[in-house]
Amino acid sequence: MPNILLTQRCVRSCPYCFANKHMSDSAPDDILSWEDLIYIADFMEAAKERRFPILGGEPTLHPDFNDMLIYLLERNFDINVFTSGIMTNEKLEEADLALRDVPPERLSFTCNLNDPEKTHSPLAEVESVKRFLKVFGNRVTAGFNIYRSDFKLDFIFRYINEFGLNRTVRLGIAHPIPGKKNKFIKPEDIKAIYNRLLSYIPVFERLRIKPGLDCGFPLCLLDDAQLGWLYRFTGGKYDFGCAPVVDIGPDMKIWSCFPLSSFHTKSLFEFNTLKEVYDYYSRIHDIIRTEVGGIFEECDNCNFREEGLCRGGCLAHSLSNFRKEHPLRMKEIYM
Amino acid sequence: MNSHILVCPGDINLLNRLGGKTVVIRLSDFEDVTPTIERAKHLQLDIKCIALHSDIPVSDIPFNRDWEGEPLAVFAPDLGNLRDFIKKIALLRHFNIRFYLPNDSGGCYTSHRILSSLGFSVAVLLNDDGVNWDALCDLMTYSLLGLVRHAPIEPFQYVTAQYDRNRHTDYASVYFEDPTSFLHLDGEGHVALSPDELRRGSFIGVNVDEIGDLSGNVEYVKRIESWRNFFLETNGCAYCQGWRVCLGKFAQGRKNNSSCKDFHVELMDVVEQYQTMKDKNKTVWQP
C-alpha cells in the first residue's frame, strides 16, 4: 500500500534521512490539500485498500493533521502514522484530545527514534519524544534507522518498557539516495550490522521484543543460526524484499520509495488505478534487476534471488553505482 | 396553481390556511422544528421539506433525534469544526438531509467535498459574484466522475438527472427558485415568485387562494417568460454556449467575467459523458 506524505517539512535533519532532499527542497506551503487527500482516499478505496500509512516530513506539522486523521477514520481507513514524536505541548494535547478514543488497532504510530547519544538531539527534542510516548505509548511501535555500525538499541528497550510501546522494533537500514550525499550502510558493512543486531538476542528474548526488518536487508549475510533464531523468535515474518512501496507526495507526485524519490517521478493523476501504479514501478524495478541482480556480484547467480527468497538488497545501491559509470545501460536507468 | 409547492414560514395561522397543500416550511429556530413538523402533519400538509436556515455552522447545530427521517434542507454559513461534526455523524446518518453551503473561506468548496465523501448530500449555494468557477468545475468533475461512490452534490446531480441535450435544463428548483414549481409566501400569506422578490416585497397576490389559475396571472406569465429578454440583447447570455443550463442566472456577474460560460459548457460536456458511461453500463438480463 502506498505511503501518503501530508507534508515534506520536517522538524529534524537526520544524517541518514532518505528524505533529506525532499526536506530541503520543499516549499514553505508544501502541505497536502483536502481536495487531494479526498482524491487519494477515493483512489485507495477504489483499490479496496483499507490501510492508510501517513508519512512526512513530520506529518503532525500539517495544520489539519488531527482533522485529516479523524476524517480518514470516519471513511473506515486504518491509519499508521510515521512520526518523530516531536511536537509542541499544545499540539500533543490537541492530538490526545482528538484521538484518544480511537481504538489502537485503527490508529497506530511508528515513532522513528534516534539514539540521543549517537545522533545529536537537543534535550528539548528528547523530552518532546518522551511526552509523545507517554501519551500515545500503547499505540506506538518504535522505529530505528541504522546508519552506523556501532549503533545501540538499549535506549529503545528502555522506552518500550517505560512507555508500554508495542514489543516489536521496526529496524530500517539507511540506503543511499542516488546522486545525493547522505549517511548509509555500505553493502560490505551489512554483515557487521547483522552481527551487532543479533548480539542483542539475549535482550530480545528476555524482554520479549521482536526485531522487525524493513526492506533492503539481504538474506545471504545471515548465517543459518542467525536466520533460524530470527524465524523461530518472530514467526518467520521476513521477506528480504525490495519492491515498490510507492510514496505519494503532498503535490501528488509519486515515486517508488524514498531512496528512489527522484527516480521515475510521476503524478498520481497519470494513473487510473493503484494496480497501474504498482505495475509501472514493478516494471522499472524489473528492468534494473535485469542489468544487475543485487548489491553483490554474487546476486546475479544467487539461488535465493532466483527463487524469490531475497531481492538482492536495496535497488538504490545499484542505481548509485550506475551513476559512477559511463551511461551505457538502458535509458530507464538514468531517468 | 395546485401543483405548486408553497415555500412558507412556520407561522401557525398561515399553516392552518394551507391544509392539504405541499409545502416547504422555512424555519430559523431549531426549537421550532419538531413542533412545526407535528403541526404540519396534524394539518395533513404534505411536507416537501423543512428548510432550516441556520446562522451557525453545521457542526454547532443541535440536531435532534426527533428530526430523524424528516426531509431537511439545512442552509448554513459553513461546515464548522470537522471533529464536532463527525461526533454527530452517527445521528445524522439516520437523517433525510441535504446541506446547503456557500463556498468556504479557502475558496475550493472543500466542505462540500468532505460532506459528499462522507455520504451526505450537499448543495452549493451560488451567488452571482462570489463563485470560484475553476474550483466549482473541479467539484463538478468530482461529483460526476469521482473514483468511488459518494453522496450527490447539487446542482450537478439534478442537472444530470434532468438533462436533455435538446431542451433547457433549469437547476433553479434545487434552490426552490423555479416559479413554475415553487411559490414563496410571507407570514401573512402574500405570494411572491422567488425568495428575492419575497424579500423585496414584490408580490403577485395577497393570498394563495385568491390567485387562482396562474396561467392567467400577468406577473407570473411575465416572470416565467422573462428568459426571452436575453434574446433581445445582441451579445447576451442567450447567445452563450452555456445557455441551455445556465439560463442567464449569472448575467450580472458575466459583464465582468465570463468564466460562468466555461463552467456551464464543461458541465454539459461532463453530464453527456456521464450519461454515455451510464448507457454503457446497461446490463443484459440474467437467467
Side-chain angles (χ1 to χ4, degrees), chain B residues 1 4-9 14 18 22 24-26 51 53 75 172-199 201-208 211 214 220 223:
Chain B
M1 162 53 221
H4 274 80
I5 297 165
L6 305 176
V7 184
C8 62
L14 178 65
L18 302 177
T22 304
V24 172
I25 304 176
R26 288 192 314 268
H53 291 260
F75 292 75
S173 282
V174 171
Y175 307 100
F176 315 117
E177 288 177 359
D178 177 3
T180 63
S181 300
F182 297 94
L183 294 175
H184 297 258
L185 275 58
D186 69 2
E188 315 274 292
H190 298 127
V191 184
L193 293 172
S194 72
D196 187 43
E197 284 157 279
L198 185 74
R199 269 191 296 276
S202 174
F203 301 114
I204 59 163
V206 292
N207 184 319
V208 170
I211 290 176
L214 276 170
Y220 174 77
R223 177 74 168 73

Side-chain angles (χ1 to χ4, degrees), chain A residues 33-277:
Chain A
S33 70
W34 273 101
E35 290 70 38
D36 288 339
L37 177 81
I38 294 170
Y39 184 86
I40 295 168
D42 288 355
F43 203 82
M44 302 274 265
E45 188 179 325
K48 299 192 178 358
E49 182 56 75
R50 302 314 313 177
R51 290 168 297 171
F52 209 98
I54 289 177
L55 264 70
E58 171 51 54
T60 59
L61 288 178
H62 194 294
D64 293 335
F65 172 74
N66 292 322
D67 279 356
M68 285 183 162
L69 259 54
I70 294 285
Y71 167 81
L72 292 166
L73 288 163
E74 189 58 40
R75 287 199 57 179
N76 216 20
F77 288 104
D78 296 335
I79 302 170
N80 183 39
V81 181
F82 290 75
T83 176
S84 66
I86 298 168
M87 61 188 80
T88 61
N89 277 343
E90 293 75 26
K91 188 96 186 175
L92 182 61
E93 279 170 24
E94 196 191 336
D96 181 30
L97 196 65
L99 307 170
R100 65 165 63 136
D101 294 333
V102 181
E105 62 273 18
R106 300 225 41 222
L107 171 64
S108 56
F109 293 94
T110 298
C111 188
N112 288 314
L113 299 165
N114 284 337
D115 183 348
E117 287 181 21
K118 302 279 183 186
T119 307
H120 173 70
S121 309
L123 187 62
E125 276 188 18
V126 177
E127 290 305 314
S128 178
V129 172
K130 285 183 178 176
R131 282 196 299 273
F132 173 79
L133 296 178
K134 193 170 181 183
V135 171
F136 288 114
N138 67 330
R139 55 177 91 226
V140 171
T141 297
F144 182 67
N145 289 310
I146 302 167
Y147 70 98
R148 47 194 287 174
S149 52
D150 61 345
F151 67 92
K152 286 183 180 175
L153 296 178
D154 307 70
F155 80 104
I156 292 183
F157 297 142
R158 273 202 310 277
Y159 281 175
I160 289 175
N161 282 339
E162 186 177 347
F163 300 109
L165 315 187
N166 294 335
R167 305 196 83 76
T168 298
V169 189
R170 177 203 148 274
L171 294 161
I173 191 167
H175 301 299
I177 302 170
K180 305 289 172 188
K181 286 183 180 172
N182 67 310
K183 289 201 174 178
F184 63 94
I185 300 295
K186 292 180 180 150
E188 57 269 30
D189 294 333
I190 295 177
K191 179 68 184 168
I193 298 296
Y194 275 142
N195 289 339
R196 184 157 186 90
L197 173 63
L198 295 170
S199 71
Y200 282 98
I201 283 179
V203 189
F204 281 129
E205 288 185 340
R206 183 161 48 83
L207 299 177
R208 297 187 184 183
I209 293 169
K210 296 183 194 322
L213 302 186
D214 212 341
C215 57
F217 282 92
L219 172 62
C220 59
L221 295 183
L222 285 166
D223 63 36
D224 286 355
Q226 290 172 325
L227 190 61
W229 180 84
L230 276 173
Y231 268 73
R232 194 180 65 236
F233 191 64
T234 65
K237 292 172 185 165
Y238 296 106
D239 66 0
F240 301 98
C242 170
V245 176
V246 179
D247 295 319
I248 305 173
D251 54 359
M252 299 299 266
K253 287 209 175 91
I254 59 171
W255 52 87
S256 177
C257 58
F258 257 137
L260 304 184
S261 54
S262 54
F263 182 71
H264 282 268
T265 305
K266 308 288 277 185
S267 164
L268 186 64
F269 298 119
E270 292 177 59
F271 299 89
N272 292 312
T273 64
L274 197 53
K275 184 177 180 305
E276 280 182 19
V277 174

Side-chain angles (χ1 to χ4, degrees), chain A residues 34-35 42 67 71 94, chain B residues 83 89 93 110 117 142 148:
Chain A
W34 273 101
E35 290 70 38
D42 288 355
D67 279 356
Y71 167 81
E94 196 191 336
Chain B
R83 272 172 270 167
I89 278 189
R93 293 248 182 255
T110 303
S117 67
Y142 170 75
V148 293

Side-chain angles (χ1 to χ4, degrees), chain B residues 242-285:
Chain B
W243 168 254
R244 282 189 290 126
V245 287
C246 170
L247 299 172
K249 289 184 181 61
F250 303 93
Q252 196 63 37
R254 188 171 178 265
K255 286 168 190 163
N256 304 322
N257 179 359
S258 62
S259 301
C260 54
K261 172 192 151 188
D262 298 336
F263 166 76
H264 285 95
V265 170
E266 182 77 12
L267 174 60
M268 285 188 286
D269 281 350
V270 171
V271 166
E272 286 182 22
Q273 190 184 341
Y274 177 87
Q275 290 184 335
T276 309
M277 282 162 53
K278 213 171 152 195
D279 287 344
K280 276 185 190 163
N281 288 339
K282 278 180 182 167
T283 51
V284 182
W285 70 275

